[in-house]
């Protein structure tokens, strides 16, 4: 049987990820394995705003609208200041990190809590691979129907793209 020395738990603060974290804590105690908790934040939250025109005004179209509507004024679109949104984002990150660390501390488990940025399924796999993870533990979010068909779930994507074992907690 394979010895799991380093467990990687994906955590986003949802009930499903809490179940995954609880399972990871129990397994790390039983197997005497190290434990890492990783939270993935999507980068697109701010890159779209910071890379765009911050004037708050839509750029004029190069092709005039049909029917002579090109004489109507362009309505300004309010855009939050990026530094305000980034501060809120950082507070969310800090809250998730401290929540995960508190859970580890409550169970007397030494563990590392990290935040990474990018597409969640890709970054979970990359984190485990780059940090010598032996097992990824992830929660199963119950999405169904058309949404699951179109987008798939993060846990499915991780299980398909990972080269190390993936345990999906339910």
């Amino acid at each position: 049987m394979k010895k799991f020395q380093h467990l990687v738990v994906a955590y986003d603060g949802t009930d499903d990820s809490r179940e995954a974290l609880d399972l990871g804590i129990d397994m790390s105690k039983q197997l005497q394995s190290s434990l890492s908790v990783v939270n993935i934040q999507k980068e697109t939250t701010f890159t779209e705003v910071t890379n765009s025109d911050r004037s708050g005004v839509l750029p004029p179209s190069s092709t005039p609208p049909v029917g002579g509507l090109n004489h109507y004024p362009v309505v300004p679109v309010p855009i939050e200041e990026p530094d305000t949104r980034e501060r809120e984002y950082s507070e969310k990150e800090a809250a998730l990190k401290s929540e995960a660390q508190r859970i580890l501390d409550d169970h007397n488990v030494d563990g590392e809590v990290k935040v990474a940025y990018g597409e969640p399924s890709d970054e979970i796999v990359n984190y485990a691979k780059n940090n010598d993870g032996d097992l990824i533990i992830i929660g199963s979010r119950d999405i169904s129907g058309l949404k699951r068909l179109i987008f798939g779930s993060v846990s499915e994507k991780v299980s398909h793209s990972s080269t190390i074992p993936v345990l999906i907690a339910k």
Side-chain angles (χ1 to χ4, degrees):
M1 185 169 133
K2 182 174 180 166
K3 171 89 169 113
F4 296 112
Q5 297 176 354
H6 183 198
L7 309 179
V8 175
V9 178
Y11 184 77
D12 65 2
T14 61
D15 290 341
D16 298 322
S17 69
R18 284 188 191 102
E19 288 181 31
L21 182 54
D22 288 341
L23 180 59
I25 289 169
D26 291 343
M27 289 182 68
S28 73
K29 286 180 176 181
Q30 291 174 10
L31 300 172
Q32 298 177 345
S33 301
S34 63
L35 181 68
S36 292
V37 180
V38 63
N39 172 261
I40 310 299
Q41 299 289 325
K42 286 191 175 187
E43 288 180 308
T44 56
T45 304
F46 299 108
T47 54
E48 292 168 4
V49 172
T50 56
N51 292 337
S52 67
D53 177 13
R54 296 184 190 179
S55 66
V57 177
L58 294 173
S61 174
S62 58
T63 308
V66 177
L69 296 176
N70 59 339
H71 298 293
Y72 284 87
V74 176
V75 179
V77 177
I79 297 176
E80 288 184 45
E81 287 299 315
D83 58 317
T84 303
R85 291 182 68 194
E86 287 178 26
R87 185 172 48 251
E88 290 170 5
Y89 192 69
S90 296
E91 289 169 6
K92 180 183 175 189
E93 276 178 30
L96 280 169
K97 277 184 78 170
S98 65
E99 180 180 326
Q101 189 62 57
R102 181 191 52 77
I103 293 169
L104 292 176
D105 293 344
D106 288 349
H107 287 88
N108 296 319
V109 172
D110 261 347
E112 177 179 55
V113 180
K114 292 288 184 179
V115 175
Y117 303 91
E119 183 59 37
S121 56
D122 296 338
E123 291 307 317
I124 291 166
V125 172
N126 288 339
Y127 181 87
K129 184 174 141 186
N130 295 335
N131 291 280
D132 298 321
D134 297 312
L135 177 68
I136 297 171
I137 304 172
I138 187 168
S140 171
R141 185 154 306 140
D142 291 329
I143 58 173
S144 60
L146 186 59
K147 188 174 181 181
R148 180 181 212 114
L149 182 64
I150 294 172
F151 301 112
S153 69
V154 173
S155 56
E156 284 176 337
K157 291 176 186 176
V158 168
S159 69
H160 289 293
S161 63
S162 178
T163 57
I164 66 171
V166 177
L167 178 60
I168 301 174
K170 288 190 173 209

